[in-house]
């Protein structure tokens, strides 16, 4: 599994986590750049989600959903050990309340998005 980081606003980061053909957008505040990157790599964004629901992490959700066929995975409803399948690889969504009650971390083999 691979990851690409996208800076947006003044101090926020979004991520496109991807496998061979599938991707998940996490904190997608840079929707145009994320979709452009996915297209260049031949990826389909299938999930849009967030590390938590603060407004500065969610501004690109609607645009990403309109620009792709992705489904929205609401971080407020993720339960322990939720698995996101990207091709033959698994991204684990782990509730990690702290900064907010709905904070989620995403664990892959070689990285974690927090």
């Amino acid at each position: 599994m691979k990851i690409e980081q996208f800076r947006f606003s003044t101090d926020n980061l979004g991520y496109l986590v991807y496998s061979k053909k599938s991707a998940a957008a996490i904190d997608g505040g840079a929707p145009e750049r994320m979709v452009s990157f996915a297209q260049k790599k031949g990826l389909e964004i299938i999930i849009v989600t967030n590390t938590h629901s603060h407004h500065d992490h969610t501004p690109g959700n609607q645009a990403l959903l309109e620009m792709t066929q992705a489904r929205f995975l609401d971080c407020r409803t993720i339960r322990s050990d939720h698995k996101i399948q990207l091709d033959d690889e698994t991204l684990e969504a782990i509730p990690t309340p702290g900064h907010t009650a709905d904070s989620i971390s995403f664990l892959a083999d070689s990285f974690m998005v927090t």
Side-chain angles (χ1 to χ4, degrees), residues 21-33:
K21 295 182 181 183
S22 301
I26 302 171
D27 294 345
E32 293 84 8
R33 287 184 287 139

Side-chain angles (χ1 to χ4, degrees), residues 5-69:
Q5 185 180 74
F6 299 84
R7 181 170 295 281
F8 66 96
S9 297
T10 56
D11 64 350
N12 288 68
L13 298 171
Y15 304 90
L16 200 61
V17 176
Y18 60 99
S19 190
K20 295 172 188 160
K21 295 182 181 183
S22 301
I26 302 171
D27 294 345
E32 293 84 8
R33 287 184 287 139
M34 290 177 139
V35 168
S36 176
F37 177 87
Q39 289 172 339
K40 288 177 186 171
K41 293 281 191 179
L43 302 169
E44 178 185 6
I45 299 174
I46 62 170
I47 297 288
V48 173
T49 193
N50 302 98
T51 55
H52 62 290
S53 59
H54 279 172
H55 71 282
D56 59 331
H57 286 256
T58 62
N61 288 353
Q62 191 60 42
L64 279 165
L65 293 170
E66 291 172 4
M67 297 168 73
T68 68
Q69 299 288 316

